[in-house]
Coordinates of all heavy atoms in Angstrom, one line a residue:
M1280 N 0.8 -1.2 0.0 CA 0.0 0.0 0.0 C 0.9 1.3 0.0 O 0.5 2.2 -0.6 CB -0.9 0.0 1.2 CG -1.9 1.1 1.2 SD -3.1 0.8 2.4 CE -3.7 2.4 2.6
S1281 N 2.0 1.2 0.7 CA 2.8 2.4 0.7 C 3.5 2.7 -0.6 O 3.9 3.8 -0.9 CB 3.9 2.3 1.8 OG 4.7 1.2 1.5
D1282 N 3.6 1.7 -1.5 CA 4.2 1.9 -2.8 C 3.3 2.7 -3.7 O 3.7 3.4 -4.6 CB 4.5 0.5 -3.5 CG 5.6 -0.2 -2.7 OD1 6.4 0.4 -2.0 OD2 5.7 -1.4 -2.9
Q1283 N 2.0 2.6 -3.6 CA 1.0 3.2 -4.4 C 0.7 4.6 -4.0 O 0.4 5.5 -4.8 CB -0.3 2.4 -4.5 CG 0.0 1.0 -5.2 CD -1.3 0.2 -5.2 OE1 -2.3 0.6 -4.7 NE2 -1.2 -1.0 -5.8
T1284 N 0.7 4.9 -2.7 CA 0.3 6.2 -2.3 C 1.5 7.1 -2.0 O 2.5 6.6 -1.4 CB -0.5 6.1 -0.9 OG1 0.2 5.5 0.0 CG2 -1.8 5.4 -1.2
P1285 N 1.5 8.3 -2.4 CA 2.7 9.2 -2.2 C 2.8 9.6 -0.7 O 1.7 9.6 -0.1 CB 2.5 10.4 -3.1 CG 1.0 10.4 -3.3 CD 0.5 9.0 -3.2
P1286 N 3.9 9.9 -0.2 CA 4.0 10.3 1.2 C 3.2 11.6 1.3 O 3.1 12.4 0.4 CB 5.5 10.6 1.4 CG 6.2 9.9 0.2 CD 5.2 9.7 -0.9
K1287 N 2.8 11.9 2.5 CA 2.0 13.1 2.8 C 2.7 14.4 2.5 O 2.2 15.4 2.2 CB 1.5 13.1 4.2 CG 0.5 12.0 4.5 CD -0.1 12.0 5.9 CE -1.1 10.9 6.1 NZ -1.6 10.9 7.4
G1288 N 4.0 14.4 2.7 CA 4.8 15.6 2.5 C 5.0 16.0 1.1 O 5.3 17.2 0.8
T1289 N 4.8 15.2 0.1 CA 5.1 15.5 -1.3 C 4.0 16.3 -1.9 O 4.2 17.1 -2.8 CB 5.3 14.3 -2.2 OG1 4.2 13.4 -2.0 CG2 6.6 13.5 -1.8
S1290 N 2.7 16.2 -1.5 CA 1.6 17.0 -2.1 C 1.7 18.5 -1.7 O 1.3 19.3 -2.4 CB 0.3 16.4 -1.7 OG 0.1 16.5 -0.3
K1291 N 2.2 18.7 -0.5 CA 2.3 20.1 0.0 C 3.3 21.0 -0.8 O 2.9 22.0 -1.3 CB 2.6 20.1 1.5 CG 2.3 21.4 2.1 CD 2.4 21.3 3.6 CE 2.0 22.6 4.3 NZ 2.1 22.5 5.7
P1292 N 4.5 20.5 -1.1 CA 5.4 21.3 -1.9 C 4.9 21.5 -3.3 O 5.1 22.6 -3.9 CB 6.7 20.5 -1.9 CG 6.7 19.7 -0.6 CD 5.2 19.4 -0.4
Q1293 N 4.2 20.6 -3.9 CA 3.7 20.7 -5.2 C 2.6 21.8 -5.2 O 2.5 22.6 -6.1 CB 3.1 19.4 -5.7 CG 4.1 18.4 -6.0 CD 3.5 17.1 -6.4 OE1 2.3 16.9 -6.3 NE2 4.3 16.1 -6.9
H1294 N 1.9 21.9 -4.1 CA 0.9 22.9 -4.0 C 1.5 24.3 -3.9 O 1.1 25.2 -4.5 CB 0.0 22.6 -2.8 CG -1.1 23.7 -2.5 ND1 -2.1 23.9 -3.4 CD2 -1.2 24.6 -1.6 CE1 -2.9 24.8 -3.0 NE2 -2.4 25.3 -1.8
H1295 N 2.6 24.4 -3.1 CA 3.3 25.6 -2.9 C 4.0 26.0 -4.2 O 4.0 27.2 -4.6 CB 4.3 25.5 -1.8 CG 3.7 25.5 -0.4 ND1 3.0 26.6 0.1 CD2 3.7 24.6 0.5 CE1 2.6 26.3 1.3 NE2 3.0 25.1 1.6
A1296 N 4.4 25.0 -5.0 CA 5.1 25.3 -6.3 C 4.1 25.9 -7.2 O 4.4 26.8 -8.0 CB 5.7 24.1 -6.8
A1297 N 2.8 25.4 -7.2 CA 1.8 25.9 -8.1 C 1.4 27.3 -7.8 O 1.2 28.1 -8.6 CB 0.6 25.0 -8.0
I1298 N 1.3 27.6 -6.5 CA 1.0 28.9 -6.0 C 2.1 29.9 -6.4 O 1.9 31.0 -6.9 CB 0.8 29.0 -4.5 CG1 -0.5 28.2 -4.1 CG2 0.7 30.4 -4.0 CD1 -0.7 28.0 -2.6
R1299 N 3.4 29.5 -6.2 CA 4.5 30.3 -6.6 C 4.5 30.6 -8.1 O 4.8 31.7 -8.5 CB 5.8 29.6 -6.2 CG 7.0 30.4 -6.5 CD 8.3 29.7 -6.0 NE 9.5 30.5 -6.2 CZ 10.3 30.4 -7.2 NH1 10.0 29.5 -8.2 NH2 11.3 31.2 -7.4
E1300 N 4.3 29.5 -8.9 CA 4.3 29.7 -10.3 C 3.2 30.7 -10.8 O 3.4 31.5 -11.6 CB 4.1 28.3 -11.0 CG 4.2 28.4 -12.5 CD 4.2 27.0 -13.1 OE1 4.4 26.0 -12.4 OE2 3.9 26.9 -14.3
A1301 N 2.0 30.6 -10.2 CA 0.9 31.5 -10.5 C 1.3 32.9 -10.2 O 1.0 33.9 -10.9 CB -0.4 31.1 -9.8
R1302 N 1.9 33.1 -9.0 CA 2.3 34.4 -8.5 C 3.4 35.0 -9.5 O 3.3 36.2 -9.9 CB 2.8 34.3 -7.1 CG 3.3 35.7 -6.5 CD 3.6 35.5 -5.1 NE 4.4 34.4 -4.7 CZ 5.7 34.2 -4.8 NH1 6.4 35.2 -5.2 NH2 6.3 33.1 -4.4
L1303 N 4.3 34.2 -9.9 CA 5.4 34.7 -10.8 C 4.8 35.0 -12.2 O 5.2 35.9 -12.8 CB 6.5 33.6 -10.9 CG 7.4 33.4 -9.7 CD1 8.3 32.3 -9.9 CD2 8.1 34.7 -9.4
K1304 N 3.9 34.2 -12.6 CA 3.2 34.4 -13.9 C 2.5 35.8 -13.9 O 2.6 36.5 -14.8 CB 2.2 33.3 -14.2 CG 1.6 33.4 -15.6 CD 0.7 32.2 -15.8 CE 0.0 32.3 -17.2 NZ -0.9 31.1 -17.4
A1305 N 1.8 36.1 -12.8 CA 1.1 37.3 -12.7 C 2.1 38.5 -12.6 O 1.8 39.6 -13.3 CB 0.2 37.3 -11.5
A1306 N 3.2 38.3 -11.9 CA 4.2 39.4 -11.8 C 4.8 39.6 -13.2 O 5.1 40.8 -13.6 CB 5.2 39.0 -10.8
L1307 N 5.1 38.6 -13.9 CA 5.7 38.7 -15.2 C 4.7 39.5 -16.2 O 5.1 40.3 -16.9 CB 6.0 37.4 -15.8 CG 6.6 37.3 -17.2 CD1 8.0 38.1 -17.2 CD2 6.8 35.9 -17.7
K1308 N 3.5 39.1 -16.1 CA 2.5 39.8 -17.0 C 2.4 41.3 -16.7 O 2.3 42.1 -17.6 CB 1.1 39.1 -16.8 CG 0.1 39.6 -17.8 CD -1.2 38.8 -17.6 CE -2.2 39.2 -18.6 NZ -3.5 38.5 -18.6
A1309 N 2.4 41.6 -15.4 CA 2.3 43.0 -15.0 C 3.6 43.7 -15.4 O 3.5 44.9 -15.9 CB 2.1 43.1 -13.5
N1310 N 4.7 43.1 -15.3 CA 6.0 43.7 -15.7 C 6.0 43.9 -17.2 O 6.4 45.0 -17.7 CB 7.1 42.8 -15.3 CG 8.5 43.5 -15.5 OD1 8.6 44.7 -15.6 ND2 9.5 42.6 -15.5
M1311 N 5.6 43.0 -18.0 CA 5.5 43.1 -19.4 C 4.6 44.3 -19.8 O 4.9 45.0 -20.8 CB 5.1 41.8 -20.1 CG 6.2 40.7 -20.0 SD 7.7 41.2 -20.8 CE 7.3 41.3 -22.5
G1312 N 3.5 44.4 -19.2 CA 2.5 45.5 -19.4 C 3.2 46.8 -19.2 O 3.0 47.8 -20.0
R1313 N 3.9 47.0 -18.1 CA 4.6 48.2 -17.8 C 5.7 48.5 -18.8 O 5.8 49.7 -19.3 CB 5.2 48.2 -16.4 CG 4.3 48.4 -15.3 CD 5.0 48.6 -13.9 NE 5.9 47.5 -13.6 CZ 5.6 46.5 -12.9 NH1 4.4 46.3 -12.4 NH2 6.5 45.5 -12.6
R1314 N 6.4 47.5 -19.2 CA 7.5 47.7 -20.2 C 6.9 48.1 -21.6 O 7.5 49.0 -22.2 CB 8.3 46.5 -20.3 CG 9.1 46.2 -19.0 CD 10.0 45.1 -19.2 NE 11.1 45.4 -20.1 CZ 12.3 44.9 -20.1 NH1 12.6 43.9 -19.2 NH2 13.2 45.2 -20.9
K1315 N 5.8 47.5 -21.9 CA 5.2 47.9 -23.2 C 4.7 49.3 -23.2 O 4.8 50.1 -24.1 CB 4.0 46.9 -23.5 CG 4.5 45.6 -24.0 CD 3.3 44.7 -24.4 CE 3.7 43.4 -24.9 NZ 2.6 42.6 -25.3
Q1316 N 4.1 49.7 -22.0 CA 3.6 51.1 -21.9 C 4.8 52.1 -21.9 O 4.7 53.1 -22.6 CB 2.9 51.2 -20.5 CG 2.2 52.5 -20.3 CD 1.5 52.6 -19.0 OE1 1.6 51.7 -18.1 NE2 0.6 53.6 -18.9
Q1317 N 5.9 51.7 -21.3 CA 7.1 52.6 -21.4 C 7.6 52.7 -22.8 O 8.0 53.8 -23.2 CB 8.2 52.1 -20.5 CG 7.9 52.2 -19.0 CD 8.9 51.5 -18.1 OE1 9.8 50.8 -18.6 NE2 8.9 51.7 -16.8
A1318 N 7.6 51.6 -23.5 CA 8.1 51.6 -24.9 C 7.2 52.5 -25.8 O 7.6 53.3 -26.6 CB 8.2 50.2 -25.5
R1319 N 5.9 52.4 -25.6 CA 4.9 53.2 -26.3 C 5.1 54.7 -26.0 O 5.1 55.6 -26.9 CB 3.5 52.8 -26.0 CG 3.0 51.6 -26.8 CD 1.5 51.4 -26.6 NE 1.4 50.0 -26.1 CZ 0.9 49.7 -24.9 NH1 0.4 50.6 -24.2 NH2 0.8 48.4 -24.6
A1320 N 5.4 55.0 -24.7 CA 5.6 56.4 -24.3 C 6.9 57.0 -25.0 O 6.9 58.1 -25.3 CB 5.7 56.5 -22.8
R1321 N 7.9 56.1 -25.1 CA 9.1 56.6 -25.7 C 9.0 56.8 -27.2 O 9.6 57.7 -27.8 CB 10.2 55.5 -25.5 CG 10.9 55.7 -24.2 CD 12.1 54.8 -24.1 NE 12.1 54.1 -22.8 CZ 11.9 52.8 -22.7 NH1 11.9 52.0 -23.7 NH2 11.9 52.2 -21.5
K1322 N 8.1 56.0 -27.8 CA 7.9 56.2 -29.3 C 7.1 57.5 -29.6 O 7.3 58.1 -30.7 CB 7.1 55.0 -29.8 CG 7.9 53.9 -30.3 CD 7.0 52.8 -31.0 CE 7.8 51.9 -31.8 NZ 7.0 50.9 -32.5
K1323 N 6.2 57.9 -28.7 CA 5.4 59.1 -29.0 C 6.3 60.3 -29.0 O 7.2 60.5 -28.2 CB 4.4 59.3 -27.8 CG 3.2 58.5 -27.9 CD 2.2 58.9 -26.8 CE 1.0 58.1 -26.8 NZ 0.1 58.5 -25.8
P1324 N 6.1 61.2 -30.0 CA 6.8 62.4 -30.0 C 6.4 63.3 -28.8 O 5.2 63.5 -28.6 CB 6.5 63.1 -31.3 CG 5.2 62.5 -31.7 CD 5.2 61.1 -31.1
E1325 N 7.4 63.8 -28.0 CA 7.1 64.6 -26.9 C 6.5 65.9 -27.3 O 5.7 66.5 -26.6 CB 8.4 64.8 -26.0 CG 8.8 63.5 -25.4 CD 10.1 63.7 -24.5 OE1 10.3 64.9 -24.1 OE2 10.8 62.7 -24.3
N1326 N 7.0 66.5 -28.4 CA 6.6 67.8 -28.8 C 5.9 67.7 -30.1 O 6.5 67.4 -31.1 CB 7.9 68.6 -29.0 CG 7.7 70.0 -28.4 OD1 6.6 70.4 -28.1 ND2 8.8 70.7 -28.3
T1327 N 4.6 67.9 -30.1 CA 3.9 67.8 -31.3 C 4.0 69.1 -32.2 O 3.9 69.1 -33.4 CB 2.4 67.6 -31.1 OG1 1.9 68.5 -30.2 CG2 2.2 66.2 -30.5
G1328 N 4.2 70.2 -31.5 CA 4.3 71.5 -32.2 C 5.8 71.9 -32.4 O 6.7 71.2 -31.9
D1329 N 6.1 72.9 -33.0 CA 7.4 73.4 -33.3 C 7.8 74.5 -32.3 O 8.0 75.6 -32.7 CB 7.6 73.9 -34.7 CG 8.8 73.3 -35.4 OD1 9.5 72.4 -34.8 OD2 9.2 73.9 -36.4
N1330 N 7.8 74.2 -31.0 CA 8.0 75.2 -30.0 C 9.4 75.7 -29.9 O 9.7 76.7 -29.3 CB 7.5 74.7 -28.6 CG 6.0 74.5 -28.6 OD1 5.3 75.2 -29.4 ND2 5.5 73.7 -27.7
E1331 N 10.3 74.9 -30.4 CA 11.8 75.3 -30.2 C 12.1 76.5 -31.0 O 12.9 77.4 -30.5 CB 12.7 74.1 -30.7 CG 12.5 72.9 -29.9 CD 13.3 71.7 -30.4 OE1 14.1 71.9 -31.4 OE2 13.2 70.6 -30.0
N1332 N 11.6 76.7 -32.1 CA 11.9 77.9 -33.0 C 10.9 79.0 -32.9 O 10.9 79.9 -33.7 CB 12.1 77.4 -34.4 CG 13.2 76.4 -34.6 OD1 14.2 76.5 -33.9 ND2 13.1 75.5 -35.5
K1333 N 9.9 78.9 -32.0 CA 8.8 79.9 -31.9 C 9.3 81.3 -31.5 O 8.9 82.3 -32.0 CB 7.8 79.4 -30.9 CG 6.4 79.3 -31.5 CD 5.4 78.9 -30.5 CE 4.1 78.7 -31.2 NZ 3.0 78.2 -30.4
G1334 N 10.3 81.3 -30.6 CA 10.7 82.6 -30.1 C 11.8 83.3 -31.0 O 12.1 84.4 -30.8
Q1335 N 12.2 82.6 -32.0 CA 13.3 83.2 -32.8 C 12.8 83.8 -34.1 O 11.9 83.7 -34.7 CB 14.3 82.1 -33.3 CG 15.0 81.6 -32.1 CD 16.0 80.5 -32.4 OE1 16.0 80.0 -33.6 NE2 16.7 80.0 -31.5

């Protein structure tokens, strides 16, 4: 009987591993979202008008 059933301690670390994996997946998704937003902000022209030469 002990050959067929896993020890009680093995199911708990697998559960913790699944929770950790889900947490890391969510953190990665949030990080990628921030990085994409930053990249889009860098692509946008900061100055839409020609204000540099206005006073000259």
Side-chain angles (χ1 to χ4, degrees):
M1280 185 167 163
S1281 63
D1282 293 337
Q1283 294 177 358
T1284 58
K1287 291 183 180 181
T1289 57
S1290 64
K1291 196 171 186 179
Q1293 289 175 352
H1294 178 67
H1295 287 297
I1298 292 171
R1299 180 178 184 266
E1300 188 175 337
R1302 182 173 40 87
L1303 290 174
K1304 185 178 179 181
L1307 179 64
K1308 187 174 181 178
N1310 187 20
M1311 290 300 293
R1313 282 192 304 269
R1314 292 183 71 155
K1315 284 183 178 182
Q1316 187 178 14
Q1317 288 173 350
R1319 278 188 237 119
R1321 279 189 225 115
K1322 270 188 165 183
K1323 281 187 182 179
E1325 291 181 22
N1326 224 348
T1327 55
D1329 225 14
N1330 293 336
E1331 293 176 10
N1332 297 328
K1333 236 182 185 177
Q1335 294 177 357

